[in-house]
Amino acid sequence: GQNIDQPTEMTATEGAIVQINCTYQTSGFNGLFWYQQHAGEAPTFLSYNVLDGLEEKGRFSSFLSRSKGYSYLLLKELQMKDSASYLCAALSNFGNEKLTFGTGTRLTIIP
Amino acid sequence: EAQVTQNPRYLITVTGKKLTVTCSQNMNHEYMSWYRQDPGLGLRQIYYSMNVEVTDKGDVPEGYKVSRKEKRNFPLILESPSPNQTSLYFCASSLSGLVNTEAFFGQGTRLTVV
């Protein structure tokens, strides 16, 4: 089966850096996604990692360690608009592709 | 504008009254899926479709049906809704499967079954 764990809530200060961790256990692992979801809105894609290492995309970076079943999303130079939920999702592929989401981390940015 | 469109956005219905939530995408995507989102449980996949006439169950398919007669549409059908199907529903599509491909989500349908 699949199991995704991430913290429920985090708080960080405007201008600072925050790291949101995600651990996963999934069969047929085929990649790890991060999505951002503002309250009442649809999730939007942030990143996809399938190989070990760090992928940087502007203020956001995502890291994956397949051997440890671990990923993190790093947000730099935090802005108030970064207040949102961040969803970690693992893709498994046993003939059919299936995406399993964690419960999300609600990030609050304070001035 | 490239988008995934769900209708209705909000729906209140009574137990047992069949309903359909429509989902349409204009990006010629092959892969479409339905999720429900509940507090403390996150997004859970209901059904997905790799292409026309190909559908498969996700993690929580009980009480739902889908069809994929044409590429752009992927309706979600609740034959006999029950209160435990009260939830926020999202439709999503991606170009071809999910590997290294972002999914585009609709704006959501908030369903209340009384």
Side-chain angles (χ1 to χ4, degrees), chain B:
Chain B
E1 182 190 348
Q3 58 186 3
V4 179
T5 304
Q6 295 178 226
N7 278 298
R9 292 288 311 277
Y10 302 91
L11 179 61
I12 301 174
T13 190
V14 296
T15 300
K17 185 177 181 183
K18 180 179 178 178
L19 66 92
T20 299
V21 185
T22 63
C23 175
S24 181
Q25 50 90 7
N26 61 1
M27 296 170 279
N28 202 36
H29 284 174
E30 292 185 350
Y31 185 98
M32 297 185 74
S33 59
W34 276 102
Y35 298 87
R36 60 178 290 174
Q37 188 172 35
D38 302 288
L41 295 176
L43 277 162
R44 292 179 293 166
Q45 193 175 50
I46 303 170
Y47 269 95
Y48 62 98
S49 169
M50 299 288 285
N51 212 327
V52 176
E53 302 292 0
V54 179
T55 62
D56 211 341
K57 296 177 181 178
D59 292 318
V60 288
E62 294 78 20
Y64 305 95
K65 284 174 56 177
V66 293
S67 70
R68 188 88 183 276
K69 294 186 171 62
E70 48 191 343
K71 188 180 272 192
R72 64 182 292 127
N73 295 323
F74 190 46
L76 179 70
I77 302 154
L78 285 73
E79 294 271 4
S80 182
S82 62
N84 64 12
Q85 292 179 297
T86 292
S87 186
L88 178 59
Y89 291 86
F90 286 102
C91 177
S93 74
S94 60
L95 183 59
S96 177
L98 289 169
V99 176
N100 202 23
T101 306
E102 69 174 282
F104 294 83
F105 284 79
Q107 287 304 103
T109 296
R110 189 166 291 280
L111 172 66
T112 302
V113 183
V114 298

Side-chain angles (χ1 to χ4, degrees), chain A residues 33 35 37 42 48 96-98, chain B residues 37 48 56 59 97-98 103 106:
Chain A
F33 289 86
Y35 280 82
Q37 186 178 25
Y48 170 79
N96 292 318
E97 294 180 352
K98 203 164 147 198
Chain B
Q37 188 172 35
Y48 62 98
D56 211 341
D59 292 318
L98 289 169

Side-chain angles (χ1 to χ4, degrees), chain A residues 22-104:
Chain A
C22 171
T23 58
Y24 64 89
Q25 292 173 302
T26 187
S27 306
F29 178 76
N30 207 2
L32 195 293
F33 289 86
W34 284 95
Y35 280 82
Q36 180 190 59
Q37 186 178 25
H38 285 98
E41 297 183 10
T44 55
F45 172 83
L46 290 177
S47 68
Y48 170 79
N49 294 66
V50 67
L51 300 176
D52 285 357
L54 188 68
E55 298 261 352
E56 297 187 70
K57 197 185 290 185
R59 293 190 299 115
F60 292 7
S61 302
S62 55
F63 172 84
L64 177 68
S65 168
R66 293 178 67 124
S67 61
K68 294 181 179 171
Y70 168 69
S71 172
Y72 68 73
L73 181 69
L74 192 71
L75 292 75
K76 303 176 187 174
E77 301 168 20
L78 287 168
Q79 302 174 9
M80 298 303 291
K81 67 178 182 178
D82 297 329
S83 290
S85 287
Y86 291 86
L87 315 179
C88 171
L91 178 64
S92 61
N93 190 348
F94 266 139
N96 292 318
E97 294 180 352
K98 203 164 147 198
L99 195 60
T100 303
F101 282 84
T103 55

